Amino acid sequence: MMAKPKDLVMDLFGDYVRYMGGSIRVGQLTQLLELFEVEPATARVTLSRMRKDGWFETERHGREISYQATDKLMKILEDGHERIFSKAQPVWIGRWTTVMFEPSVLGKVETKLLSTGLQWEGFAQLNGSSWICPRDVREKIRRKYATQDGSVFVANLWSGSLEEDKRLAETCWDFAGISEVYKNFIERWRGKLAGGIESLSAEQALIARVGMINEYRSFIYQDPMMPRALLPEAWCGDGAFSFLTDMHRDLGPLAMEAVAEVLF
């Protein structure tokens, strides 16, 4: 799958540039994006839009401009890194974090933003006005989304029955579908890397490493990081996470080399 230029820019900053001085010139970033078949004109338009949206600060060096991540972008990068690489499954204590709101009160735009944010945090929709998550993230959600007028309400929900909780989980999440996506991810990338990392050039390693992260992130929001007690036996999520983290680690030195050759 072809990644969007904006996502590629964020990936390059999140995994590479911020660890190599934190600043990159337009020409250097354009050169890296060309590895992913992004035309220079597209790269420049993308960077300009991201700067206007507050993702970057710029500094002029003669005829060149360098880009540095703003605090806004760094927060997104940290949240994304945590969502992808923090896979520790919580122990099931029988309580769901529940977010309740009335779409007609919030309005269409705010409801869409809230729903998207809740999906990213691992929530699923229980009904038209309620979302649930199997982890205790009440304080985090209150800080991000709760309103003083009570139009967004965060609380705990519990059934008192493990069997009821399993049925609730199976109703709200498509475990078979999510597991199949994980299985396909493993098989596809094992096939692409069948020749071994030692057969890759530095540029090929960078393309593979960024591609894996980008693809994994495209569906990770579907996974609520469900406690093991609520998951079906045939679950490929753990295997996909282990495969991703192993390959991300093993491809790292070569991928870093490819970026360093451009930056330095």
Side-chain angles (χ1 to χ4, degrees), residues 129-144:
S129 60
S130 301
W131 292 66
I132 61 172
C133 173
R135 294 169 289 110
D136 187 2
V137 290
R138 286 173 297 165
E139 292 308 314
K140 180 178 183 180
I141 298 302
R142 282 181 181 133
R143 287 196 303 270
K144 294 181 72 171

Side-chain angles (χ1 to χ4, degrees), residues 50-68:
M50 293 181 73
R51 180 186 62 78
K52 289 178 181 177
D53 290 340
W55 299 111
F56 291 114
E57 295 174 346
T58 59
E59 184 176 344
R60 181 168 290 278
H61 306 273
R63 298 179 63 183
E64 272 277 27
I65 296 175
S66 64
Y67 279 71
Q68 302 89 35

Side-chain angles (χ1 to χ4, degrees), residues 5-260:
K6 179 180 177 180
D7 292 339
L8 290 170
V9 171
M10 287 190 165
D11 287 336
L12 289 169
F13 261 85
D15 251 351
Y16 306 94
V17 177
R18 66 169 170 162
Y19 300 118
M20 297 181 174
S23 176
I24 187 170
R25 299 194 179 195
V26 172
Q28 296 170 325
L29 191 50
T30 299
Q31 184 178 342
L32 288 173
L33 288 172
E34 284 187 287
L35 296 175
F36 301 92
E37 302 180 8
V38 177
E39 296 293 332
T42 301
R44 292 178 185 276
V45 169
T46 300
L47 288 170
S48 178
R49 288 175 177 170
M50 293 181 73
R51 180 186 62 78
K52 289 178 181 177
D53 290 340
W55 299 111
F56 291 114
E57 295 174 346
T58 59
E59 184 176 344
R60 181 168 290 278
H61 306 273
R63 298 179 63 183
E64 272 277 27
I65 296 175
S66 64
Y67 279 71
Q68 302 89 35
T70 60
D71 291 341
K72 174 183 175 179
L73 177 55
M74 290 303 297
K75 180 65 169 61
I76 290 293
L77 295 177
E78 291 295 340
D79 287 349
H81 188 276
E82 180 182 358
R83 184 71 176 89
I84 292 173
F85 291 102
S86 298
K87 189 63 177 180
Q89 289 175 308
V91 175
W92 180 237
I93 59 173
R95 297 187 179 186
W96 303 87
T97 297
T98 308
V99 178
M100 292 169 280
F101 58 92
E102 182 52 58
S104 62
V105 174
L106 284 184
K108 187 175 181 180
V109 173
E110 289 301 319
T111 296
K112 177 63 175 176
L113 290 172
L114 177 57
S115 299
T116 300
L118 292 175
Q119 283 183 314
W120 178 251
E121 295 291 346
F123 281 74
Q125 193 165 11
L126 180 61
N127 54 45
S129 60
S130 301
W131 292 66
I132 61 172
C133 173
R135 294 169 289 110
D136 187 2
V137 290
R138 286 173 297 165
E139 292 308 314
K140 180 178 183 180
I141 298 302
R142 282 181 181 133
R143 287 196 303 270
K144 294 181 72 171
Y145 302 114
T147 57
Q148 292 184 348
D149 63 6
S151 57
V152 178
F153 183 70
V154 184
N156 266 339
L157 167 72
W158 63 92
S159 71
S161 165
L162 179 59
E163 291 306 312
E164 287 294 332
D165 290 331
K166 285 183 176 180
R167 279 194 286 270
L168 184 59
E170 290 170 359
T171 298
C172 293
W173 283 274
D174 177 13
F175 287 137
I178 298 171
S179 189
E180 185 69 16
V181 170
Y182 278 132
K183 179 183 177 182
N184 292 338
F185 171 80
I186 297 170
E187 292 177 350
R188 182 163 47 255
W189 281 99
R190 275 185 177 156
K192 289 184 176 183
L193 300 172
I197 293 174
E198 64 277 2
S199 69
L200 301 178
S201 67
E203 290 183 350
Q204 289 171 331
L206 175 63
I207 293 169
R209 194 171 189 245
V210 171
M212 288 184 71
I213 288 294
N214 203 276
E215 181 176 344
Y216 193 84
R217 186 181 57 240
S218 72
F219 55 75
I220 187 63
Y221 73 88
Q222 301 175 46
D223 184 351
M225 294 187 285
M226 193 72 68
R228 170 52 65 185
L230 301 179
L231 284 171
E233 291 186 13
W235 177 249
C236 297
D238 296 336
F241 175 74
S242 296
F243 177 73
L244 173 77
T245 52
D246 288 347
M247 290 300 97
H248 188 264
R249 179 197 63 220
D250 295 345
L251 288 164
L254 268 179
M256 289 286 190
E257 181 182 318
V259 176

